[in-house]
Amino acid sequence: METTRKESLFFSYFKITAVVALYWTVSITLVFVNKTLLGGSSMGDKDAPLFVTWFQCIVTTAACLFFAYTTKLFPSIINFPEVGNIEIPKAKKILPLTCVFVGMISMNNLSLKYMGVAFYFVGRSLTTIFNVIFTYMILGQKTSMSAILCCGVIIGGFWLGVDQENLAGSLSPLGIIFGLLSGAFVSLNAIYTKMVLPTVDSSIWMLCYYNNFMAIFLFLPLIAITGEIPAVLSIINEGSLKYWGLMTVGGLFGFAMGYVAGLQIQVTSPLTHNVSGTAKACAQTVIATWWYSEMKALLWWASNWVVLGGSLAYTYVKQREMRAVHSTAKPQQSDLSQKNEEELKC
């Protein structure tokens, strides 16, 4: 009996470790693939970051259709919602989220284009701050003083990192601007996703399909307005097999991120997912400095640790507050149930 329990614990820990490793691998690989595509080295002066993002939306949409079709063939193996038909009433309700989604993935890729992978974590670290601001402005939810103090630590780490990048001569003002906008859109995307999910019966994959399908059309005028059409035509005429392969891989890994993130939450918890994501970003920074042979000052590394510490502290504080709310709600529910039982007896 004891041996069986130990084996069960071993396989449980092994499963968790494997899922976390898969999440790290997919997420870090996606960042490096996108950096290769957006850094300008793959296609010389053929610079079209919005086209890259648009193409990845097409790949994600195609992946959704593929897995929906495969589910019909092998329902016992694959479980994917039926997608393909766009219902206009649902599309109208989802459209505001899709606009935010387009802004989010555009700013994500543009911030990655103009800043190094090593600084990517710090450059986008104010997402938490925007989350506090928009949660209050849109949902009317206030944040505790403890959580606000953690936000102050994150801001301090961000400014220290910006200062160190500036001293090193590698600071990109555009990278910082796009990083800040990226953080704002990531926060808005999370809030609007929560608001819109009931429209698609809380199906993340259905929402993913609607978002990416509609984003394909929203990106077209943006690509034209930003003057990317000559670069796009050049890419279509001269793009190598390696380049298109990287474009496809980037789209598939972007699609896979939705699955592995949900899987990690499923086998662990939302708190562990946040901690894992923060730790992954730290590991990504270390890998990037090694991969690109970058030498960083001690205070530069300190900024990363300050942001990491502030982010983990914020996650811990919010988790404790949620537990306190749940523990308070349970006795109230119990008292209400008891009162209802007494009323029924009467």
Side-chain angles (χ1 to χ4, degrees), residues 114-343:
Y114 289 102
M115 68 173 68
V117 177
F119 190 63
Y120 190 55
F121 170 51
V122 174
R124 294 176 66 250
S125 61
L126 297 191
T127 300
T128 302
I129 315 303
F130 286 114
N131 190 52
V132 170
I133 295 170
F134 292 135
T135 299
Y136 176 74
M137 292 175 62
I138 298 173
L139 303 178
Q141 297 177 2
K142 295 182 179 180
T143 303
S144 67
M145 184 55 65
S146 299
I148 291 175
L149 288 173
C150 295
C151 291
V153 173
I154 296 172
I155 293 172
F158 170 80
W159 282 116
L160 179 60
V162 169
D163 178 65
Q164 290 302 302
E165 282 284 294
N166 187 38
L167 288 175
S170 54
L171 181 68
S172 167
L174 279 176
I176 297 300
I177 292 170
F178 287 130
L180 291 171
L181 290 173
S182 171
F185 277 111
V186 167
S187 177
L188 286 171
N189 185 74
I191 293 171
Y192 275 95
T193 296
K194 187 176 181 180
M195 294 167 62
V196 169
L197 261 177
T199 305
V200 289
D201 300 322
S202 298
S203 172
I204 292 292
W205 287 123
M206 183 67 74
L207 187 60
C208 173
Y209 174 74
Y210 268 88
N211 263 338
N212 282 275
F213 179 82
M214 291 194 292
I216 291 172
F217 298 97
L218 291 178
F219 267 116
L220 293 176
L222 292 177
I223 291 172
I225 291 169
T226 53
E228 288 189 8
I229 291 179
V232 170
L233 293 175
S234 180
I235 289 171
I236 293 172
N237 292 328
E238 303 174 22
S240 64
L241 186 62
K242 178 183 176 182
Y243 180 81
W244 288 111
L246 278 175
M247 290 273 279
T248 305
V249 168
L252 291 174
F253 270 76
F255 171 79
M257 270 300 296
Y259 174 73
V260 296
L263 184 62
Q264 180 170 248
I265 293 172
Q266 183 181 6
V267 301
T268 58
S269 68
L271 174 62
T272 306
H273 173 67
N274 289 336
V275 172
S276 174
T278 306
K280 183 275 306 179
C282 189
Q284 180 178 285
T285 299
V286 175
I287 294 171
T289 55
W290 169 76
W291 183 262
Y292 295 109
S293 302
E294 297 177 354
M295 298 295 294
K296 300 295 184 181
L298 183 61
L299 283 177
W300 186 93
W301 285 106
S303 70
N304 280 265
W305 287 108
V306 170
V307 170
L308 177 65
S311 300
L312 292 176
Y314 177 86
T315 302
Y316 174 72
V317 167
K318 295 299 288 185
Q319 183 70 10
R320 285 192 61 182
E321 290 175 356
M322 288 176 62
R323 285 178 180 173
V325 170
H326 287 309
S327 61
T328 304
K330 284 182 180 179
Q332 291 177 349
Q333 291 174 357
S334 178
D335 292 342
L336 184 60
S337 299
Q338 186 177 358
K339 183 179 179 181
N340 290 337
E341 287 177 7
E342 289 174 356
E343 289 176 351

Side-chain angles (χ1 to χ4, degrees), residues 21 42 69 92 94 193:
S42 299
Y69 177 73
K92 287 180 178 178
I94 297 171
T193 296

